[in-house]
Amino acid sequence: MSKFEKPEIKNFVVWDYVVFAALLTVSAGIGVFFAIKERKKKTSKEFLIGGRQMTCGPVALSLTASFMSAITVLGTPSDVVRFGAYYLFYYIAYTLVIIFSAELFLPVFYRSGITSTYEYLELRFNKVVRIAATLIYIIQTILYTGVVIYAPSLALNQVTGFDLWGSVFATGIVCTFYCTLGGLKAVVWSDAFQMVVMFVGFLSVLVEGTIQKGGPSNVWQTAINGSRLDIADFDMDPLRRHTFWTIAVGGTFTWLGIYGVNQSTIQRCISCKSEKHAKMALYLNLVGLYIILACAVFSGLVMYAHFEGCDPWTAGFIKAPDQMMPYLVMNIFSKMPGLPGLFVACAFSGTLSTVAASINALATVTFEDIVKKIFKNISNKKSTWISKGLCVVFGIVCTVMAVVASLLGGIIQAAGSIHGMCGGPMLGLFTLGILFPWTNWKGALGGLLTGITLAFWVAIGGFINPPPPSKTLPLLLRTDECTLLNETINATLSTILTTTVPPERSLLADNWYSLSYLYYSAVGCISCVISGLLISFITGA
């Protein structure tokens, strides 16, 4: 496969549909199973947090599946091809994140006996801070879930010719179905199953892709020759997109906002039967994160080995970098019916797990933090039906928000930006409450608003004024071995090189707006803590 031609869109064959349909059927079946099994349990707590009877195993798999979504399946490998294997530094970030989450944040939430993490904010500060944090979480999760729904639909569109928006709505419907029927238990056990599908899908690409390129040593040598493994970059410049420091430090802040104080994570941890099980779930989940990260990075190296002389994105064979992985799959599995379906099931599994967890978490915080504040005395039966109704509502809203994801550019950076803009200030808020006993409610609210303002300012500025190539350092993507459009590509590149004049950039665009997207969370968190402490001292700590 040293030569590539522009492909016709290849459609699924019968076996691809069988594999893909099996994923949807089993996921929906788990929802039906728990709806029947738990039909006599009527309380909203049993529906939303599984009655606090879960064990660490399925919860650990659920956590890994939820945050290693289709964004990982599609975004990380293409990022490795374009920028190098910097994602390996996430091993440091993930380790720090899980230690802080398990030893600092989780014990506080678990011992408080709360259902929503934002209940803690009312216990620590007051109702105003709780409501403000709840609304920000709802907005953040809807935006992020929109990106997650859009990602596998893009993969489906590329490899099967399915209507893009038809598959978006199919995703939303299936997730909403089993989440509404089975509650948190259905979400957790579906996640566990989908985690296995993700791993098998990645493994199939790694094994077949490596075999076709002559073995692991050839893939590794090709990556070395193409500078994809030249990642020993310890430049401390915060404007650089990916270096050791941006991932080890910025990645820790970003993922701590996701794991340490995120309702979706904490909700599953507090569903465990004991604090020991909850901590064990987080540490077992770390092993899962390691495995999936290795699969994603090495899939990127295998993909580079295949596309070394003919990059399909630069050549115009595909429309976006996020379509590289589906394009590779359709090439290496072109004579193996069923395996393209397995890959799409892999991407789809990541999405189903994340979206269902988000819907369940959104329903929980809305019911606990808003509905129960308005309607004081709700019967157990009514509370369960309201919780299910909220699942349906948020399923619809998240699906519609997927349209927005198509306007956010690269999938992986869009997801990181959303988590940074909202997750960082939220992390700062909980840090103020847990680590600084002299923080008052005015400091907490002021810090949250300051963090949100600065994080949104830098993120939106960076979206409108993307950083220059000198800060992102994209690697060479060759097209000299493409057998089609070769002359057209060269002519186009020649025209661009000779006629394009770099636009004038302001001082703000070259500095503040060029900040690495992984530092958005750190900006939000640190500014929230500093301003929160200052306001607290001024107003009476």
Side-chain angles (χ1 to χ4, degrees):
M1 270 176 71
S2 60
K3 302 283 185 183
F4 283 85
E5 293 187 1
K6 187 174 182 180
E8 297 294 324
I9 289 183
K10 298 164 185 170
N11 293 318
F12 270 17
V13 296
V14 173
W15 284 109
D16 294 317
Y17 283 110
V18 169
V19 172
F20 183 60
L23 168 73
L24 300 182
T25 304
V26 173
S27 297
I30 290 171
V32 173
F33 172 77
F34 279 104
I36 295 169
K37 184 184 177 187
E38 309 287 321
R39 65 187 182 279
K40 293 182 181 178
K41 296 180 179 179
K42 300 295 185 182
T43 71
S44 60
K45 282 198 185 302
E46 285 165 339
F47 179 78
L48 295 172
I49 59 171
R52 291 183 186 260
Q53 291 300 312
M54 302 299 294
T55 54
C56 59
V59 171
L61 287 171
S62 175
L63 288 170
T64 306
S66 292
F67 293 106
M68 293 288 104
S69 63
I71 287 162
T72 308
V73 177
L74 302 177
T76 303
S78 71
D79 229 60
V80 170
V81 171
R82 294 168 63 209
F83 300 101
Y86 285 99
Y87 277 81
L88 291 172
F89 290 136
Y90 266 112
Y91 280 107
I92 298 168
Y94 289 159
T95 304
L96 293 173
V97 164
I98 296 303
I99 291 172
F100 280 121
S101 299
E103 305 303 331
L104 176 61
F105 293 107
L106 176 63
V108 173
F109 295 130
Y110 197 93
R111 294 167 194 173
S112 299
I114 57 180
T115 302
S116 160
T117 51
Y118 307 106
E119 287 181 61
Y120 167 79
L121 295 175
E122 184 172 356
L123 296 173
R124 174 65 178 82
F125 299 115
N126 64 11
K127 191 184 297 184
V128 175
V129 178
R130 176 181 180 178
I131 295 297
T134 300
L135 293 175
I136 290 168
Y137 172 76
I138 290 172
I139 294 168
Q140 170 199 0
T141 306
I142 290 172
L143 286 172
Y144 177 70
T145 308
V147 175
V148 172
I149 292 175
Y150 176 69
S153 300
L154 187 67
L156 278 173
N157 177 254
Q158 174 69 18
V159 301
T160 69
F162 275 176
D163 178 73
L164 180 62
W165 300 116
S167 51
V168 163
F169 292 118
T171 306
I173 289 167
V174 171
C175 289
T176 305
F177 176 77
Y178 72 78
C179 180
T180 304
L181 280 182
L184 183 73
K185 285 188 178 180
V187 171
V188 168
W189 282 104
S190 296
D191 286 354
F193 162 69
Q194 289 152 10
M195 177 64 195
V196 174
V197 175
M198 283 178 71
F199 178 67
V200 173
F202 260 137
L203 206 59
S204 66
V205 174
L206 282 170
V207 171
E208 182 59 27
T210 303
I211 290 171
Q212 289 190 15
K213 295 310 293 182
S217 58
N218 284 355
V219 170
W220 193 258
Q221 191 58 50
T222 304
I224 292 172
N225 295 342
S227 303
R228 265 59 191 178
L229 293 171
D230 294 348
I231 59 172
D233 186 346
F234 295 93
D235 187 351
M236 298 188 71
D237 181 1
L239 308 185
R240 289 279 307 282
R241 184 176 189 268
H242 284 165
T243 66
F244 171 84
W245 298 108
T246 56
I247 293 179
V249 178
T252 299
F253 274 97
T254 300
W255 281 85
L256 199 53
I258 297 169
Y259 267 86
V261 298
N262 186 288
Q263 171 67 24
S264 184
T265 304
I266 297 301
Q267 184 172 334
R268 276 171 286 181
C269 289
I270 62 177
S271 73
C272 290
K273 59 173 68 175
S274 67
E275 187 180 327
K276 183 180 178 182
H277 269 270
K279 283 187 177 183
M280 188 60 68
L282 279 172
Y283 285 114
L284 286 174
N285 153 70
L286 181 59
V287 177
L289 292 178
Y290 285 166
I291 293 170
I292 294 295
L293 179 61
C295 287
V297 171
F298 285 104
S299 290
L301 297 180
V302 169
M303 186 155 63
Y304 175 70
H306 281 266
F307 297 154
E308 179 193 12
C310 180
D311 177 65
W313 178 49
T314 310
F317 297 166
I318 55 176
K319 295 178 181 177
D322 308 313
Q323 295 177 354
M324 283 184 179
M325 196 68 174
Y327 181 80
L328 173 72
V329 166
M330 291 312 292
N331 274 284
I332 65 175
F333 293 141
S334 58
K335 297 178 181 178
M336 300 179 185
L339 289 178
L342 178 61
F343 167 75
V344 174
C346 168
F348 217 87
S349 289
T351 295
L352 291 173
S353 59
T354 305
V355 174
S358 296
I359 291 170
N360 193 261
L362 285 166
T364 302
V365 297
T366 305
F367 180 75
E368 293 291 331
D369 299 330
I370 297 175
V371 174
K372 283 175 74 173
K373 290 294 176 184
I374 299 172
F375 305 101
K376 299 293 184 185
N377 300 308
I378 305 175
S379 67
N380 285 333
K381 188 174 182 180
K382 279 186 179 178
S383 67
T384 305
W385 281 106
I386 290 171
S387 300
K388 291 186 175 185
L390 288 169
C391 283
V392 174
V393 170
F394 282 116
I396 294 169
V397 172
C398 290
T399 306
V400 173
M401 278 305 300
V403 179
V404 178
S406 64
L407 309 174
L408 287 176
I411 286 174
I412 199 158
Q413 188 155 334
S417 299
I418 292 167
H419 274 312
M421 287 188 288
C422 300
M426 296 292 276
L427 175 63
L429 177 62
F430 281 98
T431 302
L432 282 171
I434 293 171
L435 295 184
F436 300 99
W438 53 84
T439 308
N440 62 27
W441 75 267
K442 293 174 185 175
L445 189 60
L448 178 63
L449 295 177
T450 303
I452 286 285
T453 303
L454 287 176
F456 267 76
W457 178 24
V458 67
I460 293 171
F463 180 71
I464 297 170
N465 302 279
S470 61
K471 297 302 179 186
T472 57
L473 297 182
L475 297 171
L476 176 66
L477 299 172
R478 290 166 48 199
T479 58
D480 53 282
E481 292 184 16
C482 298
T483 57
L484 192 67
L485 301 180
N486 204 39
E487 293 178 7
T488 309
I489 293 161
N490 290 335
T492 304
L493 288 174
S494 176
T495 304
I496 291 170
L497 290 171
T498 55
T499 61
T500 303
V501 178
E504 288 286 329
R505 291 175 62 87
S506 67
L507 194 63
L508 202 62
D510 271 340
N511 292 279
W512 178 238
Y513 294 154
S514 293
L515 188 72
S516 171
Y517 72 98
L518 287 172
Y519 279 129
Y520 295 167
S521 187
V523 167
C525 177
I526 293 169
S527 60
C528 174
V529 171
I530 293 173
S531 57
L533 291 174
L534 286 173
I535 294 169
S536 294
F537 283 123
I538 292 169
T539 57

